Amino acid sequence: MSVLGRAGETGAGRAEESPAAGRQAYATYLKPRLARMLAAFGLDLSFHRAEGDRLFTLDGGEEREVLDFIGGFGASLLGHNHPELIEVARRALDGRRPFNAQASIRGPAGLLARRLSERLQRITGRDYRATLASTGAEAVEAAIKHAELEMSLRNDRLLESLEERLRMLRLRLRDGRSFLPEGFLAAAAERLGVGRIATLEALLEHLRREAAEALGQEPRFLAVCGSFHGKSTGSLKLTYSRLYRHPWRRIGISTVFIPADDGEAVEREMERARVAFHTVAFEPDGRVELREQSLVNVSACFVEPIQGEGGIHELGPRLLEALRRAADEHGFPLVIDEIQSGMGRTGAFLALEAAGVRGDYYLLSKSLGGGLAKVSALLVDAARYRPDFGVLHTSTFAEDDYASLIALRVLEILERDNDALIRRCRETGAALLGRLRQLRARHPRQLREVRGRGLMIGVELEPQIMSPSPLLRVLSEQNLLSYLAAGYLLRVHGIRVAPTLSERATLRIEPSAYVGREECDRLLAALEDLLVRLEASDTRQLVSYLVAGRRSGPPPPAPAVERRPPPPRPVPSAAGEVPRVAFLAHFSEPADLHAWEPRLAGFDDADCERFLDRTRGLLQPFVLDEAEVRSLSGERARVTVIGVPFTPEQAMESMRQGADWSLDLVRQGVELARQLGSSVVGLGGHTSIVTDNCRRIVEDELTLTSGNSLTVAAAWEASRQAAVGLGLDLGACRLGIAGGAGNVGATLAELAAEEVGGIVLIGRPGAGRFLRPVAERLYRAALERLRQQPAAAEARGLAAALAASAGDLLPSLAADEAAGEILYRRLAAALGERAPVRIAHSMEALRDCQLVVSATNSARPVIGAEHVGDGPVVICDVAVPQDVDSAVQRERPRALVIRGGMVRAPLGQQVEMPAMRLDGGQLWGCLAETILLGFTRQQGHFSYGELTAANVRRIRALAAEHGFEIELKQD
Ligand code: F0G
């Protein structure tokens, strides 16, 4: 039996598994979050072949070519799979070159080190020693370590020379060449800031301790704001972006970032980093003196001459010169990170050459391996190289023959014909930059800036925050526009560019040195098309690649869209102004997306769903609508509707999976409300469901409400009115409540029980343990009402039904907790389905109800025609999205379906909220409650957690006072 088992036998086959399997595995086992982000903007292609500046994909069936302008973020200077390098690689493999030969003499690695040193020598006139590694970050780590090695050796030397001086002092005092002047110890104590020093030995001990403390301080490194030097724990500390660094803020070296445009900052930083201690000096007249010695505690300063990941920013000569001066004066090395900019990409072997400043250490990687090998190098000026370093710093995979031979050939290719390829980078780059600048001149409002040198180029998009397209505005505000642009260029034009995470508006363009005119033409044409569409706010075309693939033909023609200007941006209100309230809403159905972004009107339901699904969890909450509402009593409130970008289905899915992303979105929505100066935040629809009726948001400043008290009041009142209108006798009606265990359903049952004779609480199978307490509470309340109203003939609703069906049982019952339980049990046993309060687990139970209220969390309709009886029936749908299927109205002509929980704004106001898809004067009860709490300047949460009948009555009264009216809206 093979120990490898089946996997071993099929190993070769598995590696070749289909791209779909690879995609799935990548998204599951490797990078779930990244895979989602890529998918959100259509960047989730997989490539199976690459040559030169081209990548090839089979996604979508046929092989498709993509022009690669990302170029491995600068690593593909020689293009993908350069034939000469493949030959070198093949020879290395065919020749059975050893891969693992650590602790032996590695010829190719040695030759590579020499060649790199020689190349740098031609530029700087100095000699170098190399340390080889596999990745950029590793080379950075090596530089950190070498610099600190230099520093710690220097400090050791300083401590030793202090010891020497102290020994000398003793000798000189002994043989009389020196003497301690009068009051020497007292003066020394004062200078050192310590208490009394009694003896010379005690003084020496103080001096030793002071020096050890000064020289033992934590090392300090310098880097430039906007820098990127890698993501290993050391290099990460030299990387500027907070996004990358923050989670690891407690570990690693300490770095000070110098602003890129402030040469003076260098001097300031030197003073701040200064440490001092005292030593002794011998005066010619024999007196001994204390002397202060100071130095700057900076181990190294790292710079990228042209910042890459930071968004293609070239450092100015002033800063570089100031750093050079400081390095010379204070002795620390200036480390030049040319990992991305080096190897000729910018038109010179080193990007730093243009500045005419010298570094002490240089870092190379990326293109050094020609795109085939993982290799990096640290080159240290030979005058400061510490030979110990090569013994102390090692790595298993460094110095291998394979990578070294490839890197040697890369250098040879670059240097051939007097650096012809490097010249080519310079010339192609200059031409491309020129054309990009012309493009910018044609589209200044879409293209903010074109930056770079040679083939290291950044194209910064202008934010479209004033675009008439809401979606473009929101993507811009949330720094996602460049992702959309990258997806569009990839999917529509077959051009691969990418923004950087640190500077999201900038697309990096780093093709190979061989990139030709035709490829550049294609890039420029594609960019121009993108800019033209941004200018025209042609959102639909810009995003339709996201929903393409499932259509057979092209999308239907775009509807004409009026060029509505963007709504004014809400300005936080100051104290004493009109109170501001915020209401969190979400897209309940695809048509809501159309209402918000009319440019997507050509999208059908499936398109909208696909769009929302792709962007789920990436988009953050944003402002949907803004309006001012007045109350009957003269109060005013400004309402901001904040869109929380999830659908009910996604919210329920995230709850089922125990994932908190939907809850996090709601929290972000509340934060946005706070920033806008809102004092009350209403959590509409599923935003209250995912927060467990607000309870999962801990908030001590803002007033939170689910708004559901008024929803309940409005729903019951509308149902009641409709029933009376149909001539139904409430006392004889059976009320069915779908979602009877929920907050709205249970509270509504409590109110309705005062009037209706029977109630059926319906919940999902398994919801019995939640429905049962509701049922028991209903009985107990009815019993209490009976007790308070001894004349049974006057009893109404459930109390009357109870008197009729359980009259003999009642006298023996105390009106306590147990009474509800006993009544429920006894009546269920005796009367079965005819019990006044009943629990059911299927919508079938609605068939014999004359009144139905539905308030489930379901993302899909749950009440179909088959669940509704033939007789007259009022069905009040409180749920969003709706619970009642549209078939009910068609197939049950005697059913009156009303939209529950709606109210009318005071004073006949038309509240303009286009994205909410409400008739001008109508408001959701929960929205109206939020506004009401603004009018009344409510302090403390309101509909937070479980609803109470008392709050429902209170808010109903307030609504009346302020002029809101209950709406009877027929569907
Ligand atoms: N230094 C610079 C200037 C870099 O651009 C990078 C990587 C590194 C160091 C780290 O190299 O990834 O091999 O460890 N830059 C990539 C980028 C990731 O997106 O520009 P690594």
Side-chain angles (χ1 to χ4, degrees):
M1 211 175 74
S2 161
V3 278
L4 289 176
R6 285 181 50 87
E9 288 153 27
T10 58
R14 286 174 68 93
E16 306 284 320
E17 257 181 316
S18 74
R23 169 189 304 272
Q24 180 68 28
Y26 188 86
T28 309
Y29 296 103
L30 211 49
K31 296 205 163 164
R33 172 78 184 160
L34 178 71
R36 271 217 66 82
M37 285 175 64
L38 292 176
F41 292 99
L43 298 169
D44 54 341
L45 287 185
S46 57
F47 299 104
H48 63 286
R49 195 158 69 82
E51 259 173 62
D53 281 294
R54 288 165 163 73
L55 288 164
F56 298 87
T57 177
L58 285 170
D59 288 0
E62 286 162 33
E63 184 172 86
R64 221 162 67 89
E65 171 205 289
V66 166
L67 267 186
D68 183 15
F69 279 92
I70 298 180
F73 294 126
S76 295
L77 185 65
L78 297 188
H80 296 282
N81 293 310
H82 190 288
E84 234 182 285
L85 299 179
I86 291 200
E87 196 41 47
V88 174
R90 186 172 288 141
R91 268 213 309 279
L93 296 173
D94 286 348
R96 304 292 187 267
R97 283 278 186 175
F99 182 65
N100 292 320
Q102 298 84 355
S104 68
I105 298 299
R106 331 261 325 240
L111 292 173
L112 173 61
R114 186 176 79 188
R115 186 148 193 161
L116 286 169
S117 175
E118 287 169 354
R119 176 80 213 202
L120 292 197
Q121 191 169 32
R122 287 208 294 282
I123 300 168
T124 65
R126 301 181 71 91
D127 192 17
Y128 294 87
R129 296 293 172 265
T131 300
L132 296 181
S134 307
T135 66
E138 245 188 302
V140 173
E141 295 294 334
I144 294 172
K145 284 181 68 185
H146 193 279
E148 179 56 16
L149 178 64
E150 279 195 61
M151 185 68 151
S152 68
L153 289 175
R154 181 193 71 175
N155 289 355
D156 288 350
R157 248 188 346 264
L158 286 169
L159 287 175
E160 273 161 28
S161 72
L162 174 69
E163 280 304 331
E164 241 166 40
R165 289 237 129 204
L166 302 185
R167 278 201 295 276
M168 213 182 281
L169 170 64
R170 284 207 212 88
L171 279 176
R172 295 180 73 115
L173 290 177
R174 216 179 294 154
D175 62 22
R177 271 183 293 159
S178 292
F179 66 93
L180 300 180
E182 187 66 27
F184 177 76
L185 289 180
E190 193 171 334
R191 244 178 113 173
L192 297 179
V194 295
R196 208 174 80 88
I197 297 179
T199 62
L200 179 65
E201 279 315 309
L203 170 66
L204 302 192
E205 202 39 50
H206 274 301
L207 292 178
R208 279 192 199 98
R209 209 175 309 141
E210 186 195 45
E213 212 165 275
L215 297 171
Q217 275 189 22
E218 192 192 0
R220 195 185 281 223
F221 288 79
L222 301 184
V224 181
C225 297
S227 60
F228 185 95
H229 295 288
K231 292 180 179 168
S232 53
T233 52
S235 62
L236 183 60
K237 289 286 162 166
L238 301 166
T239 290
Y240 184 66
S241 162
R242 186 186 137 85
L243 175 77
Y244 297 138
R245 246 184 1 193
H246 188 70
W248 293 279
R249 61 196 172 282
R250 303 191 315 155
I251 54 177
I253 56 173
S254 103
T255 303
V256 175
F257 291 96
I258 309 271
D261 54 359
D262 186 355
E264 252 99 84
V266 178
E267 250 335 287
R268 273 202 308 279
E269 214 33 66
M270 293 306 124
E271 284 323 304
R272 218 172 283 157
R274 203 170 272 287
V275 294
F277 60 95
H278 291 84
T279 179
V280 289
F282 310 110
E283 295 299 313
D285 64 0
R287 268 182 313 123
V288 173
E289 271 197 351
L290 276 194
R291 187 156 299 159
E292 188 182 83
Q293 192 165 350
S294 91
L295 51 108
V296 161
N297 178 30
V298 168
S299 290
C301 175
F302 284 73
V303 282
E304 295 160 88
I306 301 180
Q307 295 182 336
E309 208 276 345
I312 314 293
H313 293 282
E314 185 158 356
L315 296 191
R318 245 185 87 215
L319 177 69
L320 289 168
E321 282 157 16
L323 289 173
R324 181 69 262 166
R325 265 198 312 278
D328 286 338
E329 191 175 333
H330 304 294
F332 61 82
L334 185 58
V335 185
I336 309 299
D337 184 344
E338 295 259 9
I339 286 171
Q340 190 165 160
S341 57
M343 304 294 295
R345 172 166 292 285
T346 65
F349 186 77
L350 299 175
L352 188 70
E353 289 174 48
V357 169
R358 181 181 53 83
D360 300 297
Y361 297 7
Y362 291 91
L363 303 171
L364 293 168
S365 183
K366 293 206 188 241
S367 299
L368 179 60
L372 277 189
K374 300 158 184 171
V375 58
S376 59
L378 155 68
L379 289 134
V380 176
D381 192 319
R384 55 198 312 159
Y385 180 73
R386 299 282 161 186
D388 280 358
F389 192 66
V391 180
L392 297 175
H393 180 85
T394 58
S395 155
T396 303
F397 294 133
E399 304 177 6
D400 62 306
D401 287 8
Y402 175 86
S404 302
L405 288 167
I406 290 176
L408 275 166
R409 183 59 68 92
V410 169
L411 289 166
E412 190 194 319
I413 294 172
L414 285 178
E415 292 176 350
R416 207 171 273 167
D417 301 329
N418 205 10
D419 287 353
L421 210 49
I422 299 182
R423 270 201 313 281
R424 190 183 159 118
C425 289
R426 184 159 61 229
E427 284 151 17
T428 313
L432 183 54
L433 272 163
R435 294 175 74 193
L436 285 166
R437 293 202 167 106
Q438 286 165 7
L439 190 64
R440 192 196 105 76
R442 288 198 293 281
H443 304 281
R445 283 209 303 266
Q446 279 64 45
L447 201 52
R448 171 178 278 186
E449 204 178 9
V450 173
R451 294 186 293 267
R453 192 135 53 83
L455 292 174
M456 187 169 178
I457 298 176
V459 169
E460 186 176 345
L461 299 176
E462 184 73 43
Q464 300 297 303
I465 46 174
M466 293 310 284
S467 167
S469 157
L471 180 57
L472 290 185
R473 264 194 327 263
V474 166
L475 288 175
S476 250
E477 279 166 9
Q478 303 194 3
N479 248 326
L480 295 170
L481 189 66
S482 56
Y483 290 98
L484 177 74
Y488 180 77
L489 292 173
L490 179 64
R491 294 290 180 153
V492 177
H493 292 280
I495 300 270
R496 201 167 111 92
V497 291
T500 71
L501 266 183
S502 300
E503 200 181 77
R504 296 230 208 137
T506 299
L507 299 170
R508 263 193 290 179
I509 297 179
E510 301 190 66
S512 85
Y514 299 104
V515 72
R517 170 91 194 184
E518 186 233 341
E519 284 98 1
C520 292
D521 287 349
R522 265 179 68 185
L523 169 73
L524 285 154
L527 281 173
E528 180 124 45
D529 171 56
L530 168 75
L531 299 175
V532 165
R533 294 200 186 280
L534 283 174
E535 191 160 13
S537 299
D538 191 355
T539 315
R540 198 166 143 285
Q541 274 303 331
L542 285 169
V543 304
S544 40
Y545 77 86
L546 283 174
V547 297
R550 45 167 295 279
R551 294 175 180 285
S552 40
V561 177
E562 112 198 57
R563 281 184 77 90
R564 232 193 296 145
R569 293 189 53 75
V571 219
S573 62
E577 281 182 14
V578 176
R580 196 179 259 290
V581 303
F583 183 72
L584 306 195
H586 53 76
F587 295 121
S588 287
E589 47 186 300
D592 289 351
L593 195 60
H594 298 157
W596 171 60
E597 175 52 282
R599 282 160 191 78
L600 299 184
F603 279 22
D604 61 19
D605 285 8
D607 287 339
C608 291
E609 226 158 78
R610 213 169 131 95
F611 177 79
L612 289 174
D613 215 43
R614 273 185 181 266
T615 52
R616 112 170 142 66
L618 276 191
L619 269 182
Q620 288 169 4
F622 51 88
V623 172
L624 263 182
D625 271 326
E626 263 255 291
E628 186 163 315
V629 186
R630 273 170 303 122
S631 115
L632 183 61
S633 49
E635 302 290 342
R636 290 190 301 161
R638 279 206 74 71
V639 194
T640 307
V641 180
I642 293 174
V644 177
F646 60 52
T647 62
E649 208 145 41
Q650 292 171 340
M652 296 311 285
E653 175 69 18
S654 98
M655 284 172 74
R656 264 194 301 278
Q657 292 176 346
D660 274 347
W661 68 263
S662 57
L663 179 61
D664 287 341
L665 277 181
V666 179
R667 289 201 177 109
Q668 289 169 11
V670 173
E671 282 318 305
L672 178 55
R674 190 194 316 278
Q675 285 161 24
L676 295 173
S678 307
S679 53
V680 180
V681 187
L683 271 50
H686 277 61
T687 70
S688 68
I689 293 168
V690 299
T691 55
D692 186 19
N693 296 301
C694 310
R695 271 183 291 218
R696 293 187 70 186
I697 307 233
V698 178
E699 176 57 55
D700 67 343
E701 270 175 15
L702 308 179
T703 292
L704 296 184
T705 183
S706 67
N708 279 335
S709 296
L710 190 54
T711 299
V712 169
W716 173 234
E717 214 163 305
S719 310
R720 220 183 141 272
Q721 276 177 30
V724 173
L726 281 190
L728 295 172
D729 167 13
L730 285 178
C733 274
R734 186 185 290 275
L735 165 67
I737 300 186
N743 217 355
V744 168
T747 316
L748 190 136
E750 207 174 320
L751 289 185
E754 294 179 15
E755 299 184 73
V756 297
I759 292 182
V760 189
L761 301 167
I762 304 176
R764 275 190 301 275
R769 67 199 164 96
F770 302 114
L771 292 169
R772 186 73 184 255
V774 179
E776 290 170 4
R777 245 193 342 262
L778 292 176
Y779 274 135
R780 214 176 66 229
L783 180 63
E784 240 160 74
R785 280 199 299 280
L786 266 185
R787 294 260 156 89
Q788 284 160 11
Q789 201 169 36
E794 287 172 27
R796 293 193 307 138
L798 205 59
L802 198 57
S805 53
D808 47 344
L809 185 66
L810 298 181
S812 64
L813 280 177
D816 60 11
E817 292 284 331
E821 198 271 330
I822 295 169
L823 280 170
Y824 181 82
R825 200 157 29 83
R826 296 260 182 103
L827 290 174
L831 302 172
E833 299 212 337
R834 284 176 301 107
V837 180
R838 187 154 75 77
I839 288 173
H841 296 291
S842 150
M843 297 298 165
E844 301 293 329
L846 295 176
R847 282 194 65 89
D848 61 354
C849 293
Q850 298 74 43
L851 247 175
V852 173
V853 173
S854 194
T856 78
N857 296 345
S858 170
R860 303 254 168 245
V862 288
I863 300 181
E866 69 278 18
H867 303 129
V868 177
D870 297 323
V873 50
V874 170
I875 305 176
C876 174
D877 195 346
V878 192
V880 180
Q882 279 164 253
D883 275 347
V884 181
D885 197 287
S886 54
V888 171
Q889 248 165 0
R890 280 197 310 276
E891 294 172 31
R892 293 287 179 274
R894 298 184 73 193
L896 171 62
V897 181
I898 61 172
R899 197 91 189 83
M902 308 296 290
V903 302
R904 207 151 253 295
L907 306 163
Q909 282 169 99
Q910 299 292 305
V911 184
E912 276 300 319
M913 294 188 179
M916 295 293 280
R917 296 208 299 141
L918 294 164
D919 296 349
Q922 268 180 21
L923 300 171
W924 298 106
C926 45
L927 172 56
E929 176 171 318
T930 308
I931 297 171
L932 258 174
L933 298 179
F935 286 159
T936 60
R937 293 168 199 259
Q938 164 81 15
Q939 302 280 317
H941 304 323
F942 194 77
S943 301
Y944 183 98
E946 262 172 47
L947 300 177
T948 63
N951 264 355
V952 173
R953 292 193 183 98
R954 216 174 108 207
I955 199 80
R956 175 66 188 94
L958 280 175
E961 217 173 280
H962 287 271
F964 289 95
E965 281 163 25
I966 303 303
E967 171 81 354
L968 212 170
K969 184 178 184 230
Q970 207 161 325
D971 254 6

